[in-house]
Amino acid sequence: MSAREREVLEAVERLRRLRPKLKDELITLAHGAGGRASRVLVEALFLEELGNPVLAELEDAARIDGLALTTDSYVVKPLFFPGGDIGELAVNGTINDLAVSGARPLCLCAGFVIEEGFPIADLRRIAASMGEAARAAGVPVVAGDTKVVERGHGDGVYVTTTGIGVIDEGVELSPANVQVGDRILVSGPMGDHGVAIMIARGALELEVELESDTAPLHALVGDLLASCEGVRWLRDPTRGGLATVLNELALATELAVVLDEGAIPVRPEVTGACEILGIDPLYVANEGKLVAVVAREHAEEALEALRADRVARDAAIVGEVQPDPPGLVVLETSFGGRRIVDMLVGDPLPRIC
Amino acid sequence: MSAREREVLEAVERLRRLRPKLKDELITLAHGAGGRASRVLVEALFLEELGNPVLAELEDAARIDGLALTTDSYVVKPLFFPGGDIGELAVNGTINDLAVSGARPLCLCAGFVIEEGFPIADLRRIAASMGEAARAAGVPVVAGDTKVVERGHGDGVYVTTTGIGVIDEGVELSPANVQVGDRILVSGPMGDHGVAIMIARGALELEVELESDTAPLHALVGDLLASCEGVRWLRDPTRGGLATVLNELALATELAVVLDEGAIPVRPEVTGACEILGIDPLYVANEGKLVAVVAREHAEEALEALRADRVARDAAIVGEVQPDPPGLVVLETSFGGRRIVDMLVGDPLPRIC
């Protein structure tokens, strides 16, 4: 069997997985990791029970009556980490889900589940950080709720933020727009957030200076859309990293995403930490990075537009959309080989966001 | 000192508490109970750090650009109880926060924090119950998120739902509309939900047949507003019960709310259970009941409009707004006495919603 035949067989197998069955009896951490198990849980349980056409699109934000809506629960551990904390993350992460849907964020709501015994000073620090991030982004937190659970039934604080945005006329970002030949861009180095969290947990026996990349992306997206035609689809590669969002793209389009390993920016500290942890940086979460699919003829223009913004000065073109193998992500390695980048299995980095 | 003088002194003390100071160092269950401690936490911490004019109104739903937004985290224990479960509660409770703001609910978002090891069958039951409640109410769940926390760091599942609604032209419900002489109506017996939860926890050594009253109220509110003028303000008396929402009204208006104890509908089972538990039914949560303040001349009309709906067939006029003592809720007891119904202190019924 040739490599090509094997790829096609794998693609068929992959497409079969499009209608997943939920065989597990108990929830595992993998169900929360954003990879295959999460997808199966969402499709075979939540979509089935809650199903409606808007939810079924499974985009980062739902679109209804010209509004974009998105909700995210944050359970990151530790609550405070180099470069940010759960409060800032809960503001920026939800703003970014709106931004990559092409929506202008209007406001946020926040629900807090707090554990009995949690220090008020820490809660204030988190709220202050949310307030600062919200003011910096120009997106106010307009509604909230606070619940308290008994000691031992939470983990300090969990925050759920919901974002409401407005989609301007003419903006339509969708996997349906993606065509063969389109280029894949990322706005900067991959994996900073996830590795910063692992370092904050003391999981690494080394001194690495690395901060979470948490940042709001709505201004970057606004500039990109205003200055550049041919932007097909955007995502922020959080849980499950670049590999996961591109797998979702490949599945939705039934096209192939071919990545050039050498072109993907990854900081040496992240590469090193991932080697020690035995994980692939492509699966590691980012919290201030954009993945953009742009028409070939506008790719350089988009790259310039991204690099003009401080948060994306290290943007790069990292791959392209090809017809084969359909539904798969393929990495062309620096050594001239090719390997399939599968969907995330298990959860190597639990509670990263 | 006469009873009247004492009341006035207490009122002054009460108004002083309007600018609360947060003296606690650690979160306690009382901070989540919806009473005084919750209010202090919200005003002295969240408002201060997240502050903006919309949040500062502290209504059940925020109003921005013609939209009503509300968010609620549900941590009810047990997850399944007579008359409902956390899924149904999370749908109806959030719909009701929109409804009492005079908004037509448009859609919901839901964030799930699930504990590792939670049975998938139970999660499906919860999602099915949400789906059923959402379809029954005609309010779809259009966006969601799922996170998993390690065994021992959650409690089965916590659900945060956010509701988005549309406020029709001309509808304006606000404490600012409330006037001396207005009547206070409730849509049915008080305290069913809270006592049903206590029974489900096995906290009572008696066999009581009682179900949670969880129900969506948007149709009831729509009918009331369509058929009756003079509706000033609505609330759903959840955490902290009738006493808490009326205290909030008295504080916001700087008027007195005078209740007629004999007119307040409470099921004998609830009265009995509350006596055993040593709590007052006026502080017990409801999840399908409405409190309405209506102009005196329209009160009977409003009562009829409520009673025409099955969920409010036991509606009653239970009190009125008076000028004195300002900022206080006073109960005229069945024995001809008067007592002040203070804000909830502590948390006699934790994790009720």
Side-chain angles (χ1 to χ4, degrees), chain A residues 184-188 263-265 292 303 306-307 312-319:
Chain A
I184 314 290
L185 288 80
V186 299
S187 68
I264 302 171
L303 185 65
L306 289 176
R307 286 183 173 169
R313 59 171 177 255
D314 299 318
I317 299 175
V318 299

Side-chain angles (χ1 to χ4, degrees), chain A residues 1-18 36 247 251 325-330 338-342:
Chain A
M1 189 161 66
S2 74
R4 168 85 190 111
E5 283 169 322
R6 199 177 310 120
E7 272 184 6
V8 171
L9 272 179
E10 281 169 333
V12 170
E13 161 63 12
R14 183 52 158 279
L15 290 171
R16 211 173 327 138
R17 287 185 221 138
L18 274 170
R36 178 173 298 143
N247 264 283
L251 280 170
L328 290 183
V329 179
V330 176
R338 294 188 105 199
R339 67 173 173 90
I340 289 183
V341 179
D342 207 348

Side-chain angles (χ1 to χ4, degrees), chain A residues 147, chain B residues 73-77 89 193 238-239 287 351-353:
Chain A
K147 292 282 157 55
Chain B
S73 293
Y74 295 86
V75 299
V76 65
K77 188 177 182 173
L89 204 62
H193 176 74
T238 56
R239 260 191 309 184
E287 288 290 344
R351 298 189 52 187
I352 217 74
C353 60

Side-chain angles (χ1 to χ4, degrees), chain A residues 155-221:
Chain A
D155 205 356
V157 60
Y158 300 137
V159 184
T160 299
T161 41
T162 301
I164 295 93
V166 179
I167 301 176
D168 287 326
E169 202 102 0
V171 173
E172 209 192 310
L173 302 168
S174 160
N177 303 334
V178 172
Q179 294 172 24
V180 168
D182 287 353
R183 296 298 193 252
I184 314 290
L185 288 80
V186 299
S187 68
M190 295 286 101
D192 292 5
H193 176 73
V195 172
I197 296 293
M198 295 315 285
I199 291 170
R201 280 188 207 159
L204 286 165
E205 298 275 320
L206 74 178
E207 295 279 321
V208 183
E209 290 285 325
L210 189 73
E211 292 200 332
S212 164
D213 59 348
T214 177
L217 297 172
H218 59 313
L220 180 70
V221 170

Side-chain angles (χ1 to χ4, degrees), chain A residues 90-161:
Chain A
V91 168
N92 290 340
T94 297
I95 286 175
N96 292 348
D97 280 343
L98 291 175
V100 297
S101 305
R104 280 184 296 109
L106 180 67
C107 60
L108 301 172
C109 304
F112 297 83
V113 176
I114 313 171
E115 189 179 1
E116 183 187 14
F118 189 65
I120 299 263
D122 286 352
L123 189 60
R124 186 180 290 281
R125 208 174 136 199
I126 290 166
S129 162
M130 289 186 81
E132 202 176 307
R135 281 186 295 275
V139 185
V141 179
V142 298
D145 182 45
T146 307
K147 292 282 157 55
V148 178
V149 294
E150 303 91 334
R151 215 179 283 263
H153 287 288
D155 205 356
V157 60
Y158 300 137
V159 184
T160 299
T161 41

